[in-house]
Amino acid sequence: MKAILLAVLALFVLPIAHAQEFPVKPVRLVVPFPPGGPLDIAGRLIGQQLSEIWKQPVIVETRPGGTLGPESVAKAAPDGYTLLIISSSPLVTLPHMQKVPYDVLRDLVGVTQTTLLTYALVAHVDAGINSVQELIDQAKRSPGKLNYASAGNGSGQHLLMELFKSSAGIDIVHVPFKGAAPAAQSVMGGQIPIMLDVTTVALPLIRSGKVKPLMVTGAKPLEQLPGAVPFDVLYPGVGIPTWHGIFTTGGTPAPVLAKLANDIQAALRMPAVGDRFRQLGTEPSGVSGDAFNAIVRRDSERWGEVIRKNNLRAD
């Protein structure tokens, strides 16, 4: 009987001891986008702080290409040594638009929501559109005549604009580009009149004087863009928040997940991280564990409804 009790106790004690020791070797943080973008910057900021906390290297690995990054983490050993930092789009949207080689809700587990994102809807200064209402009025007078640029089919810009179009009851033609940079260049040059993009991209465009802000996603005005109308004010209850978060492999022991979440939250509280995020137009979050995974499930369901309703497909 004593041997049985010791064996049962070991089942509980060993994972806790393992978590207390974690990590004992370098940790890999996968960024599924090219170097230099908002996620890459965020991953390196957080990774640097975690390296100091853990006294172990955090190796940031960029793996652009849609599903390559999430798949590499989904198929890794479930030990917490392989992490993924990703935005809500494409994580919870791509599975509704194309077949992916993993199950987001089974093969990946959310550790911490790192930041809440704000997107800004902007128009070229010569487009004759000075407010959201003017945009809506012009689109209703001439359905299908206005164009908007995005980083590609299935991108966050695309999906949020389709949600806006559906909410406002307007017809604006989607012009997908291969990335946010060429899309922004088309609007800066006046070839496409409007686009929606994360504030990290939109703010420099606005400061250049080539475009003007019309609307921001979210429930409250953005300090950097006080004249832009919040989407949730125009359409209460319609908005779906967008975010960045850190995930690891499904099946990772709960004590390891708890330590990861605790240490990532500590990194987010450090001024070097929080202040930099705010400069980029994002807000640190820190929602973790079951609460974060509930957000992932909810957003997957809500975006799935938007995608099916508008018959959207990825590239």
Short mmCIF file of all heavy atoms in Angstrom, two decimals, residues 276-313:
data_model
loop_
_atom_site.label_atom_id
_atom_site.label_comp_id
_atom_site.label_asym_id
_atom_site.label_seq_id
_atom_site.Cartn_x
_atom_site.Cartn_y
_atom_site.Cartn_z
N ARG A 276 7.25 50.02 -25.12
CA ARG A 276 7.48 49.84 -26.56
C ARG A 276 6.20 49.43 -27.26
O ARG A 276 5.90 49.92 -28.37
CB ARG A 276 8.57 48.78 -26.77
CG ARG A 276 8.89 48.49 -28.24
CD ARG A 276 9.37 49.72 -28.97
NE ARG A 276 9.78 49.40 -30.33
CZ ARG A 276 9.68 50.21 -31.36
NH1 ARG A 276 9.16 51.43 -31.18
NH2 ARG A 276 10.09 49.86 -32.55
N PHE A 277 5.42 48.56 -26.66
CA PHE A 277 4.15 48.16 -27.25
C PHE A 277 3.23 49.37 -27.44
O PHE A 277 2.58 49.52 -28.48
CB PHE A 277 3.46 47.12 -26.37
CG PHE A 277 3.99 45.72 -26.54
CD1 PHE A 277 3.51 44.69 -25.76
CD2 PHE A 277 4.97 45.43 -27.47
CE1 PHE A 277 3.99 43.39 -25.91
CE2 PHE A 277 5.47 44.16 -27.63
CZ PHE A 277 4.98 43.14 -26.84
N ARG A 278 3.17 50.22 -26.43
CA ARG A 278 2.29 51.39 -26.52
C ARG A 278 2.76 52.34 -27.61
O ARG A 278 1.95 52.98 -28.29
CB ARG A 278 2.21 52.09 -25.17
CG ARG A 278 1.51 51.25 -24.11
CD ARG A 278 1.33 51.98 -22.79
NE ARG A 278 0.79 51.10 -21.78
CZ ARG A 278 1.51 50.40 -20.92
NH1 ARG A 278 2.84 50.51 -20.93
NH2 ARG A 278 0.95 49.60 -20.05
N GLN A 279 4.07 52.48 -27.77
CA GLN A 279 4.59 53.30 -28.87
C GLN A 279 4.15 52.76 -30.22
O GLN A 279 3.94 53.52 -31.17
CB GLN A 279 6.12 53.34 -28.81
CG GLN A 279 6.69 54.14 -27.64
CD GLN A 279 8.20 53.98 -27.54
OE1 GLN A 279 8.84 53.37 -28.39
NE2 GLN A 279 8.78 54.53 -26.48
N LEU A 280 3.99 51.45 -30.32
CA LEU A 280 3.58 50.81 -31.57
C LEU A 280 2.06 50.79 -31.74
O LEU A 280 1.56 50.29 -32.74
CB LEU A 280 4.12 49.38 -31.62
CG LEU A 280 5.64 49.23 -31.69
CD1 LEU A 280 6.05 47.78 -31.51
CD2 LEU A 280 6.17 49.76 -33.02
N GLY A 281 1.34 51.35 -30.76
CA GLY A 281 -0.11 51.42 -30.88
C GLY A 281 -0.84 50.19 -30.39
O GLY A 281 -2.01 49.98 -30.73
N THR A 282 -0.18 49.35 -29.58
CA THR A 282 -0.83 48.18 -29.01
C THR A 282 -0.84 48.31 -27.49
O THR A 282 -0.09 49.11 -26.92
CB THR A 282 -0.11 46.88 -29.41
OG1 THR A 282 1.23 46.90 -28.90
CG2 THR A 282 -0.07 46.72 -30.91
N GLU A 283 -1.67 47.50 -26.85
CA GLU A 283 -1.81 47.57 -25.40
C GLU A 283 -1.53 46.20 -24.80
O GLU A 283 -2.15 45.20 -25.20
CB GLU A 283 -3.23 48.02 -25.03
CG GLU A 283 -3.43 48.32 -23.57
CD GLU A 283 -2.66 49.55 -23.09
OE1 GLU A 283 -2.43 50.45 -23.90
OE2 GLU A 283 -2.31 49.60 -21.90
N PRO A 284 -0.57 46.09 -23.84
CA PRO A 284 -0.32 44.79 -23.22
C PRO A 284 -1.58 44.24 -22.57
O PRO A 284 -2.39 44.98 -22.02
CB PRO A 284 0.76 45.11 -22.17
CG PRO A 284 1.40 46.37 -22.65
CD PRO A 284 0.31 47.15 -23.32
N SER A 285 -1.74 42.91 -22.64
CA SER A 285 -2.94 42.28 -22.10
C SER A 285 -2.60 41.43 -20.89
O SER A 285 -2.77 41.85 -19.76
CB SER A 285 -3.63 41.45 -23.18
OG SER A 285 -4.67 40.68 -22.63
N GLY A 286 -2.13 40.20 -21.13
CA GLY A 286 -1.78 39.34 -20.01
C GLY A 286 -2.87 38.37 -19.60
O GLY A 286 -2.72 37.65 -18.62
N VAL A 287 -4.01 38.33 -20.32
CA VAL A 287 -5.03 37.32 -20.04
C VAL A 287 -4.45 35.94 -20.36
O VAL A 287 -3.87 35.74 -21.42
CB VAL A 287 -6.29 37.57 -20.90
CG1 VAL A 287 -7.32 36.45 -20.68
CG2 VAL A 287 -6.90 38.92 -20.58
N SER A 288 -4.57 35.00 -19.44
CA SER A 288 -3.88 33.72 -19.59
C SER A 288 -4.79 32.54 -19.30
O SER A 288 -5.94 32.69 -18.88
CB SER A 288 -2.67 33.68 -18.64
OG SER A 288 -1.75 34.70 -18.92
N GLY A 289 -4.24 31.36 -19.55
CA GLY A 289 -4.87 30.11 -19.15
C GLY A 289 -6.25 29.89 -19.74
O GLY A 289 -6.50 30.15 -20.92
N ASP A 290 -7.18 29.42 -18.91
CA ASP A 290 -8.52 29.09 -19.37
C ASP A 290 -9.24 30.31 -19.96
O ASP A 290 -9.99 30.17 -20.93
CB ASP A 290 -9.36 28.53 -18.21
CG ASP A 290 -8.89 27.16 -17.76
OD1 ASP A 290 -8.16 26.49 -18.53
OD2 ASP A 290 -9.25 26.75 -16.64
N ALA A 291 -9.01 31.47 -19.38
CA ALA A 291 -9.67 32.69 -19.88
C ALA A 291 -9.22 32.99 -21.31
O ALA A 291 -10.04 33.37 -22.16
CB ALA A 291 -9.38 33.87 -18.96
N PHE A 292 -7.92 32.83 -21.58
CA PHE A 292 -7.42 33.09 -22.92
C PHE A 292 -7.94 32.05 -23.90
O PHE A 292 -8.37 32.37 -25.01
CB PHE A 292 -5.89 33.11 -22.91
CG PHE A 292 -5.26 33.36 -24.26
CD1 PHE A 292 -5.85 34.22 -25.17
CD2 PHE A 292 -4.07 32.73 -24.61
CE1 PHE A 292 -5.27 34.45 -26.42
CE2 PHE A 292 -3.49 32.96 -25.84
CZ PHE A 292 -4.10 33.81 -26.76
N ASN A 293 -7.94 30.79 -23.51
CA ASN A 293 -8.41 29.75 -24.41
C ASN A 293 -9.91 29.89 -24.70
O ASN A 293 -10.37 29.53 -25.79
CB ASN A 293 -8.07 28.37 -23.85
CG ASN A 293 -6.60 28.03 -24.03
OD1 ASN A 293 -6.16 27.71 -25.12
ND2 ASN A 293 -5.83 28.12 -22.95
N ALA A 294 -10.65 30.43 -23.75
CA ALA A 294 -12.07 30.71 -24.00
C ALA A 294 -12.23 31.80 -25.05
O ALA A 294 -13.13 31.74 -25.90
CB ALA A 294 -12.76 31.12 -22.70
N ILE A 295 -11.33 32.79 -25.03
CA ILE A 295 -11.34 33.85 -26.06
C ILE A 295 -11.04 33.25 -27.42
O ILE A 295 -11.68 33.60 -28.42
CB ILE A 295 -10.33 34.94 -25.70
CG1 ILE A 295 -10.80 35.74 -24.48
CG2 ILE A 295 -10.08 35.88 -26.88
CD1 ILE A 295 -9.77 36.70 -23.92
N VAL A 296 -10.07 32.34 -27.48
CA VAL A 296 -9.71 31.70 -28.75
C VAL A 296 -10.91 30.96 -29.33
O VAL A 296 -11.24 31.09 -30.51
CB VAL A 296 -8.52 30.74 -28.56
CG1 VAL A 296 -8.21 30.00 -29.87
CG2 VAL A 296 -7.28 31.51 -28.10
N ARG A 297 -11.60 30.18 -28.49
CA ARG A 297 -12.78 29.43 -28.95
C ARG A 297 -13.88 30.38 -29.41
O ARG A 297 -14.49 30.17 -30.47
CB ARG A 297 -13.29 28.52 -27.84
CG ARG A 297 -12.40 27.31 -27.57
CD ARG A 297 -13.09 26.32 -26.65
NE ARG A 297 -13.35 26.90 -25.34
CZ ARG A 297 -12.49 26.85 -24.32
NH1 ARG A 297 -11.31 26.26 -24.48
NH2 ARG A 297 -12.79 27.39 -23.16
N ARG A 298 -14.13 31.42 -28.63
CA ARG A 298 -15.20 32.37 -28.98
C ARG A 298 -14.89 33.07 -30.30
O ARG A 298 -15.76 33.18 -31.17
CB ARG A 298 -15.33 33.42 -27.87
CG ARG A 298 -16.40 34.48 -28.12
CD ARG A 298 -16.11 35.72 -27.32
NE ARG A 298 -14.89 36.40 -27.79
CZ ARG A 298 -14.27 37.36 -27.13
NH1 ARG A 298 -14.72 37.75 -25.95
NH2 ARG A 298 -13.18 37.92 -27.63
N ASP A 299 -13.65 33.55 -30.46
CA ASP A 299 -13.31 34.28 -31.68
C ASP A 299 -13.32 33.36 -32.90
O ASP A 299 -13.67 33.78 -34.00
CB ASP A 299 -11.94 34.95 -31.53
CG ASP A 299 -12.00 36.17 -30.62
OD1 ASP A 299 -13.10 36.48 -30.12
OD2 ASP A 299 -10.95 36.80 -30.41
N SER A 300 -12.94 32.09 -32.70
CA SER A 300 -13.01 31.14 -33.80
C SER A 300 -14.45 30.98 -34.27
O SER A 300 -14.73 30.97 -35.49
CB SER A 300 -12.44 29.78 -33.36
OG SER A 300 -12.58 28.82 -34.38
N GLU A 301 -15.37 30.87 -33.34
CA GLU A 301 -16.78 30.73 -33.70
C GLU A 301 -17.32 31.99 -34.39
O GLU A 301 -18.02 31.90 -35.41
CB GLU A 301 -17.61 30.42 -32.44
CG GLU A 301 -17.31 29.06 -31.83
CD GLU A 301 -17.94 28.88 -30.47
OE1 GLU A 301 -18.63 29.82 -30.01
OE2 GLU A 301 -17.75 27.81 -29.86
N ARG A 302 -16.98 33.14 -33.85
CA ARG A 302 -17.52 34.39 -34.40
C ARG A 302 -16.95 34.71 -35.78
O ARG A 302 -17.67 35.11 -36.68
CB ARG A 302 -17.27 35.55 -33.42
CG ARG A 302 -18.03 35.40 -32.12
CD ARG A 302 -17.70 36.49 -31.12
NE ARG A 302 -18.23 37.78 -31.54
CZ ARG A 302 -18.00 38.92 -30.90
NH1 ARG A 302 -17.22 38.92 -29.83
NH2 ARG A 302 -18.52 40.05 -31.34
N TRP A 303 -15.62 34.51 -35.94
CA TRP A 303 -15.03 34.76 -37.26
C TRP A 303 -15.50 33.72 -38.27
O TRP A 303 -15.68 34.02 -39.45
CB TRP A 303 -13.51 34.77 -37.18
CG TRP A 303 -12.94 36.09 -36.76
CD1 TRP A 303 -12.13 36.33 -35.69
CD2 TRP A 303 -13.13 37.35 -37.41
NE1 TRP A 303 -11.82 37.67 -35.63
CE2 TRP A 303 -12.42 38.32 -36.66
CE3 TRP A 303 -13.86 37.77 -38.52
CZ2 TRP A 303 -12.39 39.66 -37.01
CZ3 TRP A 303 -13.84 39.12 -38.87
CH2 TRP A 303 -13.11 40.04 -38.12
N GLY A 304 -15.72 32.49 -37.80
CA GLY A 304 -16.24 31.46 -38.70
C GLY A 304 -17.58 31.87 -39.26
O GLY A 304 -17.87 31.66 -40.46
N GLU A 305 -18.41 32.49 -38.43
CA GLU A 305 -19.72 32.96 -38.90
C GLU A 305 -19.58 34.07 -39.94
O GLU A 305 -20.27 34.07 -40.96
CB GLU A 305 -20.53 33.47 -37.70
CG GLU A 305 -21.94 33.92 -38.04
CD GLU A 305 -22.71 34.39 -36.82
OE1 GLU A 305 -22.25 34.12 -35.68
OE2 GLU A 305 -23.76 35.02 -37.00
N VAL A 306 -18.65 35.02 -39.69
CA VAL A 306 -18.41 36.10 -40.66
C VAL A 306 -17.91 35.54 -41.98
O VAL A 306 -18.36 35.95 -43.07
CB VAL A 306 -17.38 37.11 -40.08
CG1 VAL A 306 -16.95 38.12 -41.15
CG2 VAL A 306 -17.96 37.84 -38.87
N ILE A 307 -16.99 34.58 -41.91
CA ILE A 307 -16.40 34.01 -43.13
C ILE A 307 -17.45 33.25 -43.94
O ILE A 307 -17.52 33.39 -45.16
CB ILE A 307 -15.21 33.10 -42.73
CG1 ILE A 307 -14.04 33.95 -42.23
CG2 ILE A 307 -14.77 32.21 -43.90
CD1 ILE A 307 -13.00 33.18 -41.45
N ARG A 308 -18.26 32.45 -43.26
CA ARG A 308 -19.30 31.70 -43.97
C ARG A 308 -20.35 32.64 -44.58
O ARG A 308 -20.78 32.44 -45.72
CB ARG A 308 -19.96 30.70 -43.02
CG ARG A 308 -19.07 29.51 -42.66
CD ARG A 308 -19.83 28.46 -41.89
NE ARG A 308 -20.28 28.97 -40.60
CZ ARG A 308 -19.56 28.91 -39.49
NH1 ARG A 308 -18.32 28.40 -39.52
NH2 ARG A 308 -20.02 29.35 -38.34
N LYS A 309 -20.73 33.64 -43.83
CA LYS A 309 -21.76 34.58 -44.29
C LYS A 309 -21.32 35.31 -45.56
O LYS A 309 -22.11 35.57 -46.46
CB LYS A 309 -22.08 35.59 -43.19
CG LYS A 309 -23.14 36.61 -43.57
CD LYS A 309 -23.42 37.55 -42.41
CE LYS A 309 -24.46 38.61 -42.79
NZ LYS A 309 -24.72 39.54 -41.67
N ASN A 310 -20.02 35.65 -45.63
CA ASN A 310 -19.49 36.41 -46.76
C ASN A 310 -18.79 35.54 -47.80
O ASN A 310 -18.22 36.06 -48.76
CB ASN A 310 -18.54 37.50 -46.26
CG ASN A 310 -19.24 38.57 -45.45
OD1 ASN A 310 -19.86 39.47 -45.98
ND2 ASN A 310 -19.17 38.45 -44.12
N ASN A 311 -18.82 34.21 -47.56
CA ASN A 311 -18.22 33.25 -48.52
C ASN A 311 -16.78 33.62 -48.84
O ASN A 311 -16.37 33.70 -50.00
CB ASN A 311 -19.05 33.20 -49.80
CG ASN A 311 -18.69 31.99 -50.67
OD1 ASN A 311 -18.28 30.94 -50.14
ND2 ASN A 311 -18.81 32.12 -51.97
N LEU A 312 -15.98 33.84 -47.79
CA LEU A 312 -14.60 34.28 -47.96
C LEU A 312 -13.67 33.08 -48.10
O LEU A 312 -13.88 32.03 -47.50
CB LEU A 312 -14.16 35.14 -46.77
CG LEU A 312 -15.01 36.38 -46.50
CD1 LEU A 312 -14.49 37.11 -45.27
CD2 LEU A 312 -15.05 37.30 -47.69
N ARG A 313 -12.61 33.27 -48.88
CA ARG A 313 -11.61 32.23 -49.10
C ARG A 313 -10.22 32.82 -48.99
O ARG A 313 -10.02 34.00 -49.32
CB ARG A 313 -11.78 31.59 -50.49
CG ARG A 313 -13.07 30.83 -50.66
CD ARG A 313 -13.08 29.54 -49.83
NE ARG A 313 -14.30 28.77 -50.03
CZ ARG A 313 -15.40 28.90 -49.29
NH1 ARG A 313 -15.41 29.80 -48.30
NH2 ARG A 313 -16.46 28.17 -49.51
#
